[in-house]
Each structure stands twice: as structure tokens, then as C-alpha cells.
């Protein structure tokens, strides 16, 4: 898959923050995803073990969720863990994995944040600028913002608010389980990102493409 190379990754944490401030204005988070035209959806995740990062991208049919392609990439972890700077820890190995893709998904679901981020450019938004395809952030834990209590039933949702701005939703993808934190990455909006994640979560808390990517990323070769 062809990427739109935006910058090098060899940055200090302060340089990384400055780059986020520079790129954030390019993120498009108010464009609906055309859900009726989706045929392929990809899940994206990265696991780290012994300072080695392994990226996995799993492409599935939609809405049948049959695996079409799985790609892996592995390289030394280049950047410390700093909340809000996950892109710079995972971006290099993701770039390598994306370049291996033979299919071109219609939309990418990331295990990580989109605009639900202090500078409104989480990994789904940041890598969306490289992909120039619709991307959605699916966070398992809250990075920023607040939300009101939501019902226990699957499909219950509450706006995620940060500094008086709606940046996503807390979405219950499985009854009585902790919510996911959904936000547009790039070329997406909150309503269609939320609806897509719900449709991609027929059984588990994690959307099916992310669940399979998570499993694949965690299987390191001996």
C-alpha cells in the first residue's frame, strides 16, 4: 500500500509535541464515513516485548468479517512510553507494516486514540495523514475528557467532552463491560465512527478487526 510520507520519526519528545501541534490542523474529523460502501475494514495494533515492537494489520471483509490479509512487521522500539506520544513509539513499525499491505482497506480501526487526545491528534489521526483513508480511534482506556454514566446495555453511549469540546464517545460494545472510547481519526466523524465500531463488535468488547490484530501482534517469534 502506498503511503503519504509526512516526516521522519527520529524526534525528541519535545519535537514530537511540536510536530503534533503543526499537523493537527490537517486532521479532518467532521466527514462522515460512507458506511454503505465499505467492503474491507482493517484492524491495527502494536505489541511491545523486550523492547521489540510488532505491528499487525488484519484486513477483513465487511460485514462478514472474514480474514483477507494479515501483515506483520517487527523492529526495535524507538521511542520511550510517553502518554500522548504513542504515534512516535508505534509509527515506524506501522509504516513498515502498511507498506506490506497488498489490499487497500476502505477504513482502518486503530487500537488507540483519534482526536480524543490532548492535542487532538492521537495515533489514528496521525497515521490517517499517512494513509489518507478513513481512520477511527478505538481506545480501551481514557486518555482525556469526561463522560456521564451510561447504561449497561450494549450500544449505550455518552459524549466524551474535553475543554467544552465533544471529542468522541464512550461506547458500550458489550453489555456490562467497560466502554470503549471512540473518536474519528482522519476523514471520519463521530456518528459514523461510532456506528462502524458497533457494527464491527458482534460478540466481543474489542471490534473484531482490532481483536484479531491484537492477537497477531502479540505472537512474537521465538
Amino acid at each position: 500500500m502506498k503511503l503519504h510520507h509526512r516526516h521522519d520519526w527520529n524526534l525528541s519528545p519535545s519535537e514530537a509535541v511540536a510536530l503534533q501541534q503543526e499537523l493537527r490542523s490537517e486532521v479532518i474529523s467532521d466527514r462522515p464515513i460512507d458506511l454503505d460502501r465499505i467492503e474491507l475494514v482493517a484492524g491495527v495494533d502494536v505489541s511491545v516485548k523486550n523492547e521489540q515492537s510488532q505491528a499487525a494489520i488484519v484486513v477483513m471483509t465487511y460485514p462478514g468479517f472474514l480474514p483477507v490479509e494479515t501483515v506483520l512487521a517487527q523492529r526495535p522500539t524507538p521511542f520511550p512510553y510517553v502518554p500522548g506520544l504513542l504515534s512516535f513509539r508505534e509509527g515506524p513499525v506501522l509504516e513498515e507494516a502498511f507498506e506490506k499491505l497488498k489490499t487497500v482497506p476502505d477504513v482502518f480501526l486503530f487500537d488507540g486514540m483519534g482526536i480524543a487526545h490532548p492535542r487532538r491528534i492521537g495515533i489514528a489521526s496521525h497515521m490517517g495523514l499517512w494513509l489518507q483513508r478513513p481512520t477511527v480511534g478505538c481506545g480501551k482506556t481514557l486518555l482525556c475528557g469526561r463522560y456521564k454514566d451510561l447504561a449497561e446495555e450494549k450500544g449505550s453511549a455518552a459524549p466524551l467532552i474535553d475543554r467544552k469540546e465533544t471529542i468522541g464517545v464512550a461506547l458500550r460494545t458489550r453489555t456490562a463491560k467497560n466502554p470503549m472510547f471512540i473518536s474519528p481519526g482522519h476523514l471520519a466523524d463521530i456518528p459514523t465512527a461510532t456506528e462502524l465500531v458497533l457494527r464491527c463488535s458482534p460478540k466481543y468488547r474489542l471490534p473484531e478487526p482490532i481483536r484479531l490484530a491484537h492477537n497477531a501482534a502479540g505472537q512474537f517469534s521465538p
Side-chain angles (χ1 to χ4, degrees):
M1 181 179 178
K2 183 180 178 182
L3 295 175
H4 301 259
H5 187 275
R6 300 306 311 270
H7 55 80
D8 292 329
W9 294 106
N10 186 24
L11 301 174
S12 68
S14 60
E15 290 171 330
V17 170
L19 180 61
Q20 287 181 330
Q21 299 286 19
E22 179 185 329
L23 293 176
R24 63 183 289 179
S25 64
E26 298 183 34
V27 173
I28 297 171
S29 59
D30 60 357
R31 182 179 297 178
I33 304 169
D34 190 343
L35 300 177
D36 293 332
R37 298 189 66 177
I38 295 174
E39 295 181 353
L40 295 173
V41 60
V44 182
D45 196 14
V46 175
S47 289
V48 178
K49 182 179 180 181
N50 298 327
E51 292 305 307
Q52 286 287 316
S53 292
Q54 180 161 265
I57 304 165
V58 177
V59 183
M60 309 187 80
T61 61
Y62 175 88
F65 305 116
L66 300 175
V68 172
E69 183 181 8
T70 299
V71 298
L72 300 172
Q74 189 176 137
R75 60 186 297 159
T77 304
F79 197 86
Y81 175 75
V82 181
L85 296 179
L86 185 66
S87 303
F88 301 90
R89 186 171 168 87
E90 299 187 353
V93 73
L94 283 174
E95 179 183 356
E96 192 174 315
F98 286 129
E99 288 176 339
K100 291 183 177 181
L101 273 181
K102 293 181 171 60
T103 51
V104 180
D106 298 301
V107 61
F108 293 82
L109 304 182
F110 280 75
D111 185 339
M113 296 299 183
I115 64 166
H117 178 279
R119 288 172 292 281
R120 308 299 185 253
I121 185 165
I123 191 164
S125 300
H126 195 145
M127 297 311 299
L129 297 176
W130 288 65
L131 293 162
Q132 288 302 322
R133 308 287 290 182
T135 61
V136 175
C138 306
K140 297 192 291 290
T141 57
L142 187 63
L143 180 62
C144 69
R146 296 183 177 184
Y147 63 99
K148 294 183 178 178
D149 290 343
L150 58 157
E152 290 291 301
E153 290 76 25
K154 177 179 178 175
S156 301
L160 186 59
I161 310 294
D162 184 52
R163 288 170 278 170
K164 300 182 180 180
E165 180 184 357
T166 301
I167 57 173
V169 299
L171 176 68
R172 193 90 67 190
T173 52
R174 191 175 181 198
T175 297
K177 296 295 183 180
N178 289 337
M180 299 285 293
F181 300 99
I182 310 305
S183 60
H186 182 50
L187 302 175
D189 68 0
I190 292 172
T192 53
T194 304
E195 178 62 26
L196 178 60
V197 169
L198 203 54
R199 292 185 189 183
C200 288
S201 308
K203 186 176 180 181
Y204 299 98
R205 178 181 178 238
L206 286 180
E208 192 65 6
I210 292 181
R211 191 181 73 85
L212 293 191
H214 176 78
N215 291 344
Q219 295 176 0
F220 285 80
S221 301

